[in-house]
Amino acid sequence: MRLDTVVKFYSESERHYDPKAHGYVGGAVLVATVMANVTELGTNRSMELLGSYTANSKVVRLVDSVPSKWSYLMIGDKKYRLQTSRQTQKMTSLLVGEG
């Protein structure tokens, strides 16, 4: 398995509403940058796991542990949110969907 894709984890915990500014302040903070193995989720497997075909779902496999608090991850210039995860002795697998 090749870890050939850069994955960046971001946290939005600093973002909050400021009544003086009449809007949200703060933003996404980069939590971690790791190398991962990223593959597309097949149609059959998507139907089994999610009950529907979801376009642009990916499986992200990490040898390192996932940061404890993160809101979304970036693969290239696309934002993905966590759908489900699985932790084994050797690696962490994340099923993420675009959005």
Side-chain angles (χ1 to χ4, degrees):
M1 178 176 64
R2 292 184 181 173
L3 304 175
D4 58 353
T5 306
V6 176
V7 177
K8 296 180 181 181
F9 290 89
Y10 289 89
S11 173
E12 292 178 327
S13 62
E14 299 294 322
R15 186 175 175 184
H16 64 280
Y17 184 79
D18 184 7
K20 292 180 183 177
H22 301 289
Y24 285 92
V25 296
V29 177
L30 180 64
V31 177
T33 302
V34 297
M35 296 300 291
N37 175 269
V38 179
T39 57
E40 296 286 332
L41 184 64
T43 306
N44 293 339
R45 191 71 174 145
S46 178
M47 291 295 288
E48 289 174 9
L49 293 174
L50 305 173
S52 66
Y53 176 71
T54 306
N56 298 327
S57 291
K58 295 192 183 289
V59 178
V60 179
R61 295 174 188 86
L62 307 163
V63 175
D64 300 327
S65 61
V66 177
S68 59
K69 294 186 179 184
W70 59 279
S71 301
Y72 64 90
L73 58 86
M74 297 285 291
I75 301 171
D77 59 348
K78 292 189 179 180
K79 183 190 292 189
Y80 294 90
R81 300 233 180 234
L82 180 67
Q83 293 177 343
T84 186
S85 67
R86 201 162 280 187
Q87 178 70 42
T88 63
Q89 289 181 346
K90 293 184 179 181
M91 70 179 54
T92 303
S93 297
L94 306 173
L95 178 61
V96 296
E98 198 169 321

